[in-house]
Amino acid sequence: MTELGYPTSIDEMAARMATLAGRADHAVFVMVHEAVAAGMVAVSASPSLFSNDPQGAIIALVVSSRFRGRGIGALLVERGEKWFRENGIGYVTVKPSRHREDAHRLYARLGYEHSGLRFSKSLT
């Protein structure tokens, strides 16, 4: 998460992962290369008010700078999509930050369409 610009300690990440552990509506997949975490994707599912089917979201995707350019991001997205299909989810969104142009190109290459705009506000 730190490589995404969200400074996070190991203890904080462990606590977050513990919160998600065992939840059927979330999954995290980690790609390990030579005993090192090369990247991860986190996905979630939720009911929808505008569709009868549940909706999916890629909520985090990161590839360590050491492993970028090797196709790991695409493999992680594909793994997340497999989880969506296995859970009856046929529609997926992802909301990468505006400045993550490499991610924008990756998602476009994988068939994701630019379909909207997001607004964010911190409540803290």
Side-chain angles (χ1 to χ4, degrees), residues 58-116:
I58 297 173
I59 55 175
L61 172 67
V62 63
V63 175
S64 173
S65 57
R66 192 173 141 199
F67 295 99
R68 289 184 189 147
R70 300 183 190 186
I72 291 171
L75 290 171
L76 287 164
V77 170
E78 289 172 13
R79 180 59 186 97
E81 290 174 349
K82 181 177 186 241
W83 182 85
F84 290 131
R85 286 185 197 95
E86 291 169 350
N87 286 278
I89 297 163
Y91 186 81
V92 179
T93 60
V94 60
K95 300 173 190 171
S97 295
R98 186 177 9 194
H99 68 278
R100 301 208 187 283
E101 295 177 10
D102 289 346
H104 301 174
R105 287 189 292 275
L106 170 67
Y107 292 121
R109 195 169 61 248
L110 296 176
Y112 288 74
E113 297 177 12
H114 184 256
S115 61

Side-chain angles (χ1 to χ4, degrees), residues 29-50:
F29 302 100
V30 177
M31 177 160 300
V32 176
H33 181 72
E34 297 175 1
V36 175
M40 60 83 69
V41 65
V43 295
S44 68
S46 63
S48 172
L49 291 174
F50 61 88

